[in-house]
Amino acid sequence: MRAIQLVSETSELNEVQVNNYKDYYKLLNAELFDVVMVRWKGVDISIYVDEEGMLKSKNLGRSVKGYPNPLFGNMVICGGVDVEGNTLDLPESITIEDVKERISTPLYIIK
């Protein structure tokens, strides 16, 4: 499944493939993950985040267009979900440039 990974420490954005749920743990560098939903360019988007991101020291927080609270740590941006709740490919219409425009530079740091 096509996705885009945000590496929090470097602000690097990479196009990645997610084959199963274990890939989220690796890409997020997390033991637990959560998913938030937003809508960009008329498309549903799933953003996977470290569930414990706010608890880790020196983790960076960013604002995300369409979501009310900052998100901390690495992120994996995917498509919406199907009727069974399975995450879908990130549509080709959502590019790395689109992600750059919708996720801020770091605004917060956990000490």
Side-chain angles (χ1 to χ4, degrees):
M1 170 180 58
R2 177 180 179 263
I4 294 175
Q5 175 197 38
L6 168 70
V7 180
S8 184
E9 290 179 8
T10 63
S11 298
E12 185 178 349
L13 290 164
N14 304 300
E15 193 161 317
V16 295
Q17 290 292 316
V18 177
N19 298 310
N20 61 53
Y21 74 94
K22 293 178 183 178
D23 291 338
Y24 293 112
Y25 293 108
K26 180 180 174 186
L27 293 167
L28 295 170
N29 191 27
E31 293 181 24
L32 299 169
F33 63 80
D34 199 1
V35 63
V36 300
M37 303 299 293
V38 295
R39 192 161 177 83
W40 294 344
K41 295 174 64 175
V43 176
D44 290 331
I45 301 294
S46 303
I47 302 177
Y48 286 79
V49 296
D50 182 350
E51 173 75 23
E52 300 174 316
M54 288 186 69
L55 304 175
K56 295 179 179 176
S57 67
K58 299 184 180 176
N59 229 351
L60 302 175
R62 301 162 189 275
S63 63
V64 175
K65 184 176 181 179
Y67 194 72
N69 302 314
L71 299 176
F72 289 80
N74 294 348
M75 299 179 203
V76 178
I77 298 99
C78 304
V81 296
D82 64 18
V83 295
E84 295 176 348
N86 299 309
T87 304
L88 302 170
D89 277 306
L90 183 64
E92 293 293 329
S93 63
I94 303 294
T95 65
I96 286 176
E97 285 302 315
D98 292 321
V99 174
K100 282 182 186 176
E101 292 174 6
R102 289 165 174 81
I103 297 179
S104 74
T105 56
L107 300 173
Y108 309 95
I109 187 165
I110 302 296
K111 294 187 178 197

